[in-house]
Amino acid sequence: MDERVFNFSAGPAVLPVPVLEQIRDEMLCLPGAGASIMEISHRGGPFTEIIHSAEANLRKLLDISDDYAVLFLQGGSRLQFSMVPINLLGEGQSADYILTGSWGKKAMEEAQKEGQTRVAYTAKGSGFDHVPEQGDLDLDPQAAYCHYTCNETIEGVQFNGEPDTGGVPLVCDASSDFLHRKLDISRYGMVYACAQKNAGPSGVTIVIMRKDLAERSDANLPSYLSYANHIKEESLGNTPPTFAIYVVDLVTKWLLNDIGGLDKMFEQNKTKALKLYDVIDAHSDLYKGHAQPSSRSVMNVTFNLPSDELTSKFLGEAKKHKLEALKGHRSVGGIRASIYNAMPVEGVDALASFMKEFAKNA
Amino acid sequence: MDERVFNFSAGPAVLPVPVLEQIRDEMLCLPGAGASIMEISHRGGPFTEIIHSAEANLRKLLDISDDYAVLFLQGGSRLQFSMVPINLLGEGQSADYILTGSWGKKAMEEAQKEGQTRVAYTAKGSGFDHVPEQGDLDLDPQAAYCHYTCNETIEGVQFNGEPDTGGVPLVCDASSDFLHRKLDISRYGMVYACAQKNAGPSGVTIVIMRKDLAERSDANLPSYLSYANHIKEESLGNTPPTFAIYVVDLVTKWLLNDIGGLDKMFEQNKTKALKLYDVIDAHSDLYKGHAQPSSRSVMNVTFNLPSDELTSKFLGEAKKHKLEALKGHRSVGGIRASIYNAMPVEGVDALASFMKEFAKNA
């Protein structure tokens, strides 16, 4: 077998090795099913058990009450960018958007196609290097909902709590930090996240939604675009991405049983991030962190080097140390180290050592 | 390892064992990638190679010209039911639907939400037991498109050629028989198919579309619903279901290299189906085939027994012979043996023997 590297990909991203091993071992025959997970009906016993288990694990990890539905959908967060306003933004209403990076902007662009939007805050003026304080928000108390992106993958800025939107339902794109810590779901109208960072492979999007909000869905919506329909059908209105949901089940089991829950996961994540930010701060002449210190992401550590030449050299030498996928997003350049839940501490230690060594020789 | 059964599931369905073995062997480390297929960027070299290869294999198997785009989308055929009219059915236009079973009906129901539809043929009167002859069709020469379902999975009826719609673009839901034989793609405006029968796992839908048709897409559509956008972005406008596309690549490679192309696959499929229909015809007092003989599907063999009691007995005894997932769709009951490309001849032989034995003792 080829050798695994330390994979800092922003997503699809690193998965826990025990999960990959179990998938491998069960690939030809899921225990009790007589066939691969990919070959069985989404309405049969073995898959029903899997999707129920995945939902139960999520409810346990995040303490989700019965007032909320948990859905497994397709189309990525991109489709959620449209489904949110299509379902929740009524005629004559307006939706608030808090913009702290590239993904929030894209979410609002899709919403603008569907109705009226309003910017409750934008960090664009400072190159999306921070998240706002509560007092900075210009909230519309009549808004249909208020949308924000709790972690901006490209810029590496992250909220460490949720905005208080009063009676306005808070909608959160949690794609790139979902399950990295516990959330108080009762503060949200809806949380959605594509799986390919902390929860599984690409191809499934998890939606956690206060059930009463889905009553806003127009009865004449295309079936696949209606939250009300997905809730009624329990994500089985059409064939779901069964394999991807199976992986989500295994990853959430790993979080519960191997890690011991999200508080423990969060401690690990903070420790890992600190190791890298400490190196950045100790070598601030060479490594320029993009995010303001108080808004730093514990998932995506972004920084720049003084020249493109040094950036290329950094990436090339990192590769020789089996440190891969460190190039920043094509829209911003620089370096991005994505250190999701499944990135082992050893990977972060290896990167931190390399960064120190590189700084010494630069 | 548990023992694999003969799996007659209608979908998600049986996959080629060599494909499953390769997935298993590469699960922790895709050769050259240093990580699992699930852990790598959709924009990096290894995945780019995979998606290009999957497309090239499909173009080779079906001889698809450059006038057509090949897309890998999410949301299943259910989302296509809506995307087709959303993109192709203009203001004041009407679309024709040929109804030969449950899925065609559902496709038209979604289209009715988006605009004007018209029934060009329905086999409902005879319980969807046949497909029409060309002369039976009542076609609108002004239709925006004409939609049909080439194989109805639930009823087990199948076209063995395509309707001639003249200048009206023919749109085909090929979900349950895609890649079972060669199609003359130049006769179609668009062919779409969810992968979970002959092409891969659930979670990816293959769309083959004449590029000029996508010019009809309204520029203001939600990005994920626009064919024009997916064509422009080459299926990478957002993170695609990378694992599912990887499996499609492996399955299409298997069709090209192990099977030797779609003409050979079709010969095998006809041979397999004939074995079961021969038993049905030889025991017509016990096994009542649902489809009229000239409309019989080579993918889904559907039949009824004289009583629910006998049906249950049949299913129970089949299980003892490791013949699984033979229960008919919950909407019609009876028996359904789905014998897709990857169902081995031995599986069909085992079922045929069992059916003869069961008839002897019934």
Side-chain angles (χ1 to χ4, degrees):
Chain A
M1 197 182 72
D2 288 28
E3 200 189 344
R4 282 175 63 84
V5 298
F6 288 122
N7 171 21
F8 295 92
S9 172
V14 59
L15 288 165
V17 170
V19 166
L20 294 174
E21 288 172 339
Q22 185 169 350
I23 298 168
R24 175 195 64 197
D25 295 345
E26 296 179 351
M27 182 48 65
L28 269 85
C29 210
L30 186 73
S36 171
I37 170 65
M38 288 188 283
E39 300 177 303
I40 59 174
S41 170
H42 54 295
R43 298 195 184 277
F47 182 74
T48 301
E49 206 174 290
I50 286 168
I51 192 170
H52 286 172
S53 166
E55 177 175 341
N57 296 343
L58 287 166
R59 287 191 182 275
K60 199 165 172 187
L61 284 165
L62 290 164
D63 200 10
I64 304 170
S65 84
D66 287 345
D67 295 339
Y68 290 77
V70 176
L71 302 174
F72 299 96
L73 305 183
Q74 297 182 56
S77 291
R78 191 70 58 121
L79 187 54
Q80 294 309 307
F81 292 172
S82 298
M83 280 177 67
V84 166
I86 285 172
N87 283 265
L88 303 184
L89 182 52
E91 197 73 31
Q93 288 187 302
S94 171
D96 271 0
Y97 278 75
I98 298 171
L99 307 181
T100 54
S102 306
W103 294 110
K105 262 178 62 189
K106 281 187 207 289
M108 192 175 79
E109 282 161 19
E110 293 294 340
Q112 285 169 330
K113 298 178 184 173
E114 308 305 329
Q116 190 69 36
T117 63
R118 199 176 147 280
V119 176
Y121 184 81
T122 177
K124 194 181 172 190
S126 62
F128 293 125
D129 66 352
H130 70 283
V131 301
E133 301 287 325
Q134 180 68 28
D136 301 331
L137 300 176
D138 170 27
L139 296 168
D140 171 7
Q142 304 300 322
Y145 60 85
C146 178
H147 182 282
Y148 84 115
T149 313
C150 52
N151 183 65
E152 283 283 358
T153 332
I154 292 176
E155 289 81 6
V157 298
Q158 186 176 33
F159 285 78
N160 50 36
E162 47 282 296
D164 181 356
T165 53
V168 172
L170 183 63
V171 175
C172 177
D173 174 3
S175 289
S176 58
D177 70 1
F178 187 59
L179 300 180
H180 92 292
R181 69 171 173 100
K182 202 157 175 174
L183 296 178
D184 179 357
I185 294 292
S186 72
R187 296 175 60 100
Y188 295 83
M190 174 178 165
V191 175
Y192 65 90
C194 56
Q196 67 264 22
K197 320 288 185 174
N198 278 332
S202 64
V204 63
T205 301
I206 296 159
V207 172
I208 301 166
M209 182 170 215
R210 224 174 63 206
K211 288 174 186 165
D212 64 296
L213 283 182
E215 288 164 19
R216 298 191 194 174
S217 302
D218 187 302
N220 207 36
L221 286 182
S223 299
Y224 204 83
L225 301 191
S226 163
Y227 291 126
N229 178 58
H230 287 299
I231 292 174
K232 185 176 72 124
E233 301 279 0
E234 299 182 340
S235 305
L236 297 172
N238 66 327
T239 312
T242 51
F243 176 81
I245 294 169
Y246 157 76
V247 181
V248 171
D249 180 41
L250 297 182
V251 170
T252 48
K253 274 195 182 111
W254 172 81
L255 282 168
L256 283 167
N257 304 331
D258 293 25
I259 298 297
L262 293 187
D263 289 340
K264 290 203 174 145
M265 191 74 257
F266 190 34
E267 286 310 311
Q268 280 191 28
N269 284 326
K270 283 189 291 190
T271 304
K272 287 188 292 181
L274 200 59
K275 286 171 187 261
L276 297 184
Y277 287 119
D278 278 351
V279 179
I280 289 173
D281 290 340
H283 303 275
S284 56
D285 48 332
L286 181 67
Y287 303 125
K288 310 280 177 201
H290 175 76
Q292 292 182 17
S294 63
S295 299
R296 282 171 166 175
S297 170
V298 304
M299 296 278 99
N300 311 98
V301 177
T302 51
F303 55 97
N304 284 277
L305 284 87
S307 70
D308 288 350
E309 204 191 330
L310 271 169
T311 304
S312 293
K313 195 176 166 208
F314 181 96
L315 291 169
E317 294 193 9
K319 228 178 162 64
K320 289 183 202 153
H321 291 75
K322 305 265 175 211
L323 303 165
E324 297 262 9
L326 283 162
K327 200 174 171 181
H329 190 269
R330 61 207 160 99
S331 65
V332 297
I335 305 291
R336 171 171 56 179
S338 296
I339 48 173
Y340 298 117
N341 287 353
M343 167 58 65
V345 177
E346 301 77 57
V348 174
D349 284 339
L351 176 57
S353 298
F354 167 74
M355 285 172 69
K356 285 183 216 162
E357 200 59 27
F358 187 83
K360 214 181 284 174
N361 303 326
Chain B
M1 197 182 73
D2 286 25
E3 200 187 347
R4 283 175 63 84
V5 299
F6 288 122
N7 171 21
F8 295 92
S9 173
V14 59
L15 287 166
V17 170
V19 166
L20 294 174
E21 288 172 339
Q22 185 169 349
I23 299 168
R24 177 195 64 197
D25 296 344
E26 297 178 349
M27 182 48 66
L28 269 85
C29 210
L30 186 73
S36 171
I37 169 66
M38 288 189 281
E39 300 176 303
I40 59 174
S41 170
H42 54 296
R43 299 198 184 273
F47 183 72
T48 302
E49 206 174 291
I50 286 169
I51 193 169
H52 286 173
S53 166
E55 176 175 341
N57 296 343
L58 286 166
R59 289 193 182 273
K60 197 165 174 186
L61 284 165
L62 290 164
D63 201 8
I64 304 170
S65 84
D66 287 344
D67 295 339
Y68 290 77
V70 176
L71 302 174
F72 300 96
L73 306 182
Q74 296 182 57
S77 291
R78 190 68 58 120
L79 187 54
Q80 294 308 307
F81 293 171
S82 298
M83 279 177 68
V84 166
I86 285 171
N87 282 267
L88 304 183
L89 183 51
E91 198 72 31
Q93 288 188 301
S94 171
D96 271 1
Y97 278 76
I98 298 172
L99 306 180
T100 56
S102 306
W103 294 111
K105 262 179 62 189
K106 282 187 206 288
M108 193 175 78
E109 282 161 18
E110 293 293 340
Q112 284 170 331
K113 298 178 183 173
E114 308 305 330
Q116 189 70 35
T117 63
R118 199 176 146 278
V119 175
Y121 184 82
T122 177
K124 194 182 173 189
S126 62
F128 293 125
D129 67 350
H130 70 284
V131 301
E133 301 286 326
Q134 180 67 30
D136 300 331
L137 300 177
D138 170 27
L139 297 169
D140 171 6
Q142 304 301 322
Y145 61 84
C146 178
H147 181 282
Y148 85 115
T149 314
C150 53
N151 183 66
E152 282 282 0
T153 332
I154 292 175
E155 289 81 6
V157 299
Q158 185 176 33
F159 285 79
N160 51 36
E162 47 282 293
D164 181 354
T165 53
V168 172
L170 183 62
V171 175
C172 177
D173 175 3
S175 290
S176 59
D177 70 1
F178 186 59
L179 299 180
H180 93 293
R181 70 170 172 97
K182 201 155 178 176
L183 296 179
D184 179 356
I185 294 291
S186 72
R187 296 175 61 99
Y188 294 83
M190 174 178 165
V191 176
Y192 65 89
C194 55
Q196 67 264 23
K197 320 290 185 175
N198 279 332
S202 64
V204 64
T205 301
I206 295 158
V207 171
I208 300 166
M209 182 170 215
R210 225 174 62 207
K211 288 174 187 166
D212 64 296
L213 282 182
E215 289 164 20
R216 298 190 194 177
S217 302
D218 186 302
N220 207 35
L221 286 181
S223 298
Y224 204 83
L225 300 191
S226 163
Y227 291 126
N229 178 57
H230 287 299
I231 292 173
K232 184 176 71 120
E233 301 279 359
E234 297 183 343
S235 303
L236 297 173
N238 65 328
T239 313
T242 51
F243 176 81
I245 293 169
Y246 157 75
V247 181
V248 171
D249 179 43
L250 297 181
V251 170
T252 48
K253 274 195 183 112
W254 172 81
L255 282 168
L256 282 167
N257 303 331
D258 293 25
I259 298 297
L262 293 186
D263 288 341
K264 290 203 174 144
M265 191 74 256
F266 190 35
E267 285 310 311
Q268 280 191 28
N269 283 327
K270 283 190 291 190
T271 304
K272 288 188 292 183
L274 199 60
K275 284 172 188 260
L276 297 184
Y277 286 119
D278 278 351
V279 180
I280 289 172
D281 290 339
H283 304 275
S284 57
D285 48 331
L286 181 66
Y287 302 126
K288 310 281 178 201
H290 176 76
Q292 291 183 18
S294 62
S295 299
R296 283 171 165 174
S297 170
V298 303
M299 295 278 100
N300 311 99
V301 178
T302 53
F303 56 96
N304 285 278
L305 283 89
S307 70
D308 288 348
E309 203 191 329
L310 272 169
T311 303
S312 294
K313 195 176 166 206
F314 181 96
L315 291 169
E317 293 193 9
K319 225 175 165 65
K320 290 183 203 153
H321 290 76
K322 305 262 174 215
L323 304 165
E324 297 263 8
L326 283 161
K327 200 172 172 183
H329 189 269
R330 61 209 160 97
S331 64
V332 298
I335 306 291
R336 171 172 56 178
S338 296
I339 49 172
Y340 298 116
N341 287 352
M343 168 57 66
V345 177
E346 301 78 56
V348 174
D349 284 340
L351 176 57
S353 298
F354 168 74
M355 286 171 70
K356 286 182 214 161
E357 199 60 27
F358 187 84
K360 215 181 280 172
N361 303 326

